[in-house]
Short mmCIF file of all heavy atoms in Angstrom, two decimals:
data_model
loop_
_atom_site.label_atom_id
_atom_site.label_comp_id
_atom_site.label_asym_id
_atom_site.label_seq_id
_atom_site.Cartn_x
_atom_site.Cartn_y
_atom_site.Cartn_z
N LEU A 1339 -10.31 21.24 -21.48
CA LEU A 1339 -10.66 19.87 -21.85
C LEU A 1339 -9.44 19.00 -21.62
O LEU A 1339 -8.34 19.48 -21.40
CB LEU A 1339 -11.08 19.80 -23.31
CG LEU A 1339 -12.32 20.60 -23.70
CD1 LEU A 1339 -12.54 20.53 -25.21
CD2 LEU A 1339 -13.54 20.09 -22.95
N VAL A 1340 -9.64 17.69 -21.69
CA VAL A 1340 -8.54 16.74 -21.54
C VAL A 1340 -8.31 16.07 -22.88
O VAL A 1340 -9.23 15.48 -23.46
CB VAL A 1340 -8.87 15.68 -20.45
CG1 VAL A 1340 -7.77 14.63 -20.38
CG2 VAL A 1340 -9.06 16.35 -19.10
N GLU A 1341 -7.10 16.18 -23.38
CA GLU A 1341 -6.72 15.55 -24.64
C GLU A 1341 -6.22 14.14 -24.32
O GLU A 1341 -5.23 13.97 -23.61
CB GLU A 1341 -5.60 16.36 -25.31
CG GLU A 1341 -5.05 15.73 -26.55
CD GLU A 1341 -6.07 15.65 -27.67
OE1 GLU A 1341 -6.80 16.63 -27.88
OE2 GLU A 1341 -6.14 14.59 -28.31
N LEU A 1342 -6.94 13.13 -24.81
CA LEU A 1342 -6.55 11.75 -24.55
C LEU A 1342 -5.54 11.26 -25.57
O LEU A 1342 -4.75 10.36 -25.29
CB LEU A 1342 -7.77 10.83 -24.55
CG LEU A 1342 -8.83 11.16 -23.50
CD1 LEU A 1342 -10.00 10.21 -23.63
CD2 LEU A 1342 -8.25 11.12 -22.10
N GLY A 1343 -5.56 11.82 -26.76
CA GLY A 1343 -4.57 11.45 -27.77
C GLY A 1343 -4.91 10.15 -28.49
O GLY A 1343 -5.95 9.56 -28.30
N ARG A 1344 -3.97 9.75 -29.31
CA ARG A 1344 -4.12 8.54 -30.10
C ARG A 1344 -3.33 7.42 -29.46
O ARG A 1344 -2.27 7.64 -28.90
CB ARG A 1344 -3.63 8.80 -31.52
CG ARG A 1344 -4.45 9.86 -32.21
CD ARG A 1344 -3.84 10.36 -33.47
NE ARG A 1344 -3.24 9.31 -34.29
CZ ARG A 1344 -2.82 9.49 -35.50
NH1 ARG A 1344 -2.91 10.66 -36.06
NH2 ARG A 1344 -2.27 8.50 -36.18
N VAL A 1345 -3.85 6.20 -29.58
CA VAL A 1345 -3.17 5.02 -29.03
C VAL A 1345 -3.27 3.88 -30.02
O VAL A 1345 -4.12 3.86 -30.90
CB VAL A 1345 -3.77 4.58 -27.67
CG1 VAL A 1345 -3.61 5.65 -26.63
CG2 VAL A 1345 -5.23 4.19 -27.80
N ARG A 1346 -2.39 2.90 -29.82
CA ARG A 1346 -2.44 1.68 -30.62
C ARG A 1346 -3.71 0.90 -30.28
O ARG A 1346 -4.22 1.00 -29.17
CB ARG A 1346 -1.22 0.82 -30.34
CG ARG A 1346 0.09 1.44 -30.81
CD ARG A 1346 1.30 0.58 -30.49
NE ARG A 1346 1.51 0.58 -29.04
CZ ARG A 1346 1.57 -0.52 -28.28
NH1 ARG A 1346 1.52 -1.71 -28.82
NH2 ARG A 1346 1.75 -0.42 -26.99
N PRO A 1347 -4.25 0.11 -31.21
CA PRO A 1347 -5.44 -0.68 -30.94
C PRO A 1347 -5.30 -1.56 -29.69
O PRO A 1347 -6.26 -1.73 -28.93
CB PRO A 1347 -5.62 -1.53 -32.20
CG PRO A 1347 -4.98 -0.72 -33.28
CD PRO A 1347 -3.82 -0.03 -32.62
N GLN A 1348 -4.11 -2.12 -29.46
CA GLN A 1348 -3.89 -2.97 -28.29
C GLN A 1348 -4.13 -2.18 -27.00
O GLN A 1348 -4.74 -2.69 -26.06
CB GLN A 1348 -2.47 -3.52 -28.30
CG GLN A 1348 -2.16 -4.38 -27.09
CD GLN A 1348 -0.70 -4.76 -27.01
OE1 GLN A 1348 0.16 -4.12 -27.62
NE2 GLN A 1348 -0.41 -5.80 -26.25
N VAL A 1349 -3.67 -0.93 -26.95
CA VAL A 1349 -3.86 -0.11 -25.75
C VAL A 1349 -5.33 0.22 -25.56
O VAL A 1349 -5.85 0.18 -24.44
CB VAL A 1349 -3.00 1.17 -25.83
CG1 VAL A 1349 -3.30 2.11 -24.68
CG2 VAL A 1349 -1.52 0.81 -25.85
N ALA A 1350 -6.04 0.54 -26.64
CA ALA A 1350 -7.47 0.84 -26.55
C ALA A 1350 -8.25 -0.37 -26.03
O ALA A 1350 -9.13 -0.25 -25.17
CB ALA A 1350 -8.01 1.27 -27.90
N ALA A 1351 -7.92 -1.56 -26.54
CA ALA A 1351 -8.60 -2.78 -26.08
C ALA A 1351 -8.26 -3.08 -24.62
O ALA A 1351 -9.13 -3.52 -23.85
CB ALA A 1351 -8.21 -3.96 -26.97
N TRP A 1352 -7.02 -2.82 -24.23
CA TRP A 1352 -6.60 -3.04 -22.85
C TRP A 1352 -7.35 -2.07 -21.92
O TRP A 1352 -7.85 -2.46 -20.87
CB TRP A 1352 -5.10 -2.83 -22.74
CG TRP A 1352 -4.45 -3.22 -21.46
CD1 TRP A 1352 -5.05 -3.72 -20.34
CD2 TRP A 1352 -3.06 -3.14 -21.16
NE1 TRP A 1352 -4.11 -3.95 -19.36
CE2 TRP A 1352 -2.88 -3.59 -19.85
CE3 TRP A 1352 -1.97 -2.71 -21.88
CZ2 TRP A 1352 -1.64 -3.64 -19.24
CZ3 TRP A 1352 -0.73 -2.76 -21.26
CH2 TRP A 1352 -0.57 -3.23 -19.96
N LEU A 1353 -7.46 -0.83 -22.33
CA LEU A 1353 -8.19 0.16 -21.54
C LEU A 1353 -9.65 -0.26 -21.39
O LEU A 1353 -10.22 -0.18 -20.30
CB LEU A 1353 -8.08 1.53 -22.20
CG LEU A 1353 -8.80 2.68 -21.52
CD1 LEU A 1353 -8.35 2.84 -20.07
CD2 LEU A 1353 -8.57 3.97 -22.29
N ALA A 1354 -10.26 -0.73 -22.46
CA ALA A 1354 -11.64 -1.20 -22.40
C ALA A 1354 -11.78 -2.36 -21.41
O ALA A 1354 -12.73 -2.42 -20.62
CB ALA A 1354 -12.12 -1.63 -23.78
N ALA A 1355 -10.83 -3.29 -21.42
CA ALA A 1355 -10.87 -4.43 -20.50
C ALA A 1355 -10.74 -3.98 -19.05
O ALA A 1355 -11.45 -4.48 -18.16
CB ALA A 1355 -9.76 -5.43 -20.85
N VAL A 1356 -9.87 -3.02 -18.80
CA VAL A 1356 -9.69 -2.50 -17.43
C VAL A 1356 -10.97 -1.83 -16.96
O VAL A 1356 -11.41 -2.03 -15.82
CB VAL A 1356 -8.49 -1.53 -17.37
CG1 VAL A 1356 -8.46 -0.76 -16.07
CG2 VAL A 1356 -7.18 -2.29 -17.58
N ILE A 1357 -11.60 -1.06 -17.82
CA ILE A 1357 -12.86 -0.38 -17.45
C ILE A 1357 -13.94 -1.40 -17.16
O ILE A 1357 -14.66 -1.32 -16.16
CB ILE A 1357 -13.29 0.60 -18.55
CG1 ILE A 1357 -12.30 1.77 -18.60
CG2 ILE A 1357 -14.71 1.09 -18.31
CD1 ILE A 1357 -12.47 2.67 -19.81
N ARG A 1358 -14.07 -2.41 -18.03
CA ARG A 1358 -15.08 -3.45 -17.80
C ARG A 1358 -14.85 -4.17 -16.48
O ARG A 1358 -15.79 -4.44 -15.73
CB ARG A 1358 -15.07 -4.45 -18.95
CG ARG A 1358 -15.75 -3.96 -20.17
CD ARG A 1358 -15.92 -5.09 -21.19
NE ARG A 1358 -16.10 -4.51 -22.49
CZ ARG A 1358 -15.17 -4.40 -23.42
NH1 ARG A 1358 -13.96 -4.89 -23.21
NH2 ARG A 1358 -15.43 -3.84 -24.57
#
Side-chain angles (χ1 to χ4, degrees):
L1339 297 175
V1340 175
E1341 175 65 43
L1342 300 178
R1344 297 167 41 170
V1345 297
R1346 293 178 291 125
Q1348 179 188 20
V1349 173
W1352 190 358
L1353 180 56
V1356 168
I1357 291 169
R1358 282 190 201 101

